[in-house]
Amino acid sequence: MGHILRAAASAARIAELNAGGDAAAAERAIDEARRRATPTVVDVLRRYPVPPAARNRVSELQSALDAALRSSG
């Protein structure tokens, strides 16, 4: 699942860091990634198991995006 979502999660983390650690910047980036995801991406993602508990901030953001995409549609 990481190969599908890690780039978007990393971009969200960079946005957060560029905003002085403002978590809202990461949330906006995650929301934008969710809106851009095609139905095909969501379908493929749902074939993978739910990821394990997050171990770092990028993993947390990746899990947030994963949850948002799985619940969409």
Side-chain angles (χ1 to χ4, degrees), residues 21-63:
D22 184 5
E27 292 170 16
R28 287 190 297 273
I30 291 295
D31 188 53
E32 178 63 28
R34 180 195 53 79
R35 287 194 310 267
R36 285 192 322 259
T38 66
T40 301
V41 169
V42 175
D43 181 55
V44 169
L45 178 67
R46 288 180 176 155
R47 296 177 193 179
Y48 287 85
V50 175
R55 294 172 285 160
N56 58 53
R57 184 62 176 144
V58 173
S59 294
E60 289 173 2
L61 294 168
Q62 188 171 286
S63 292

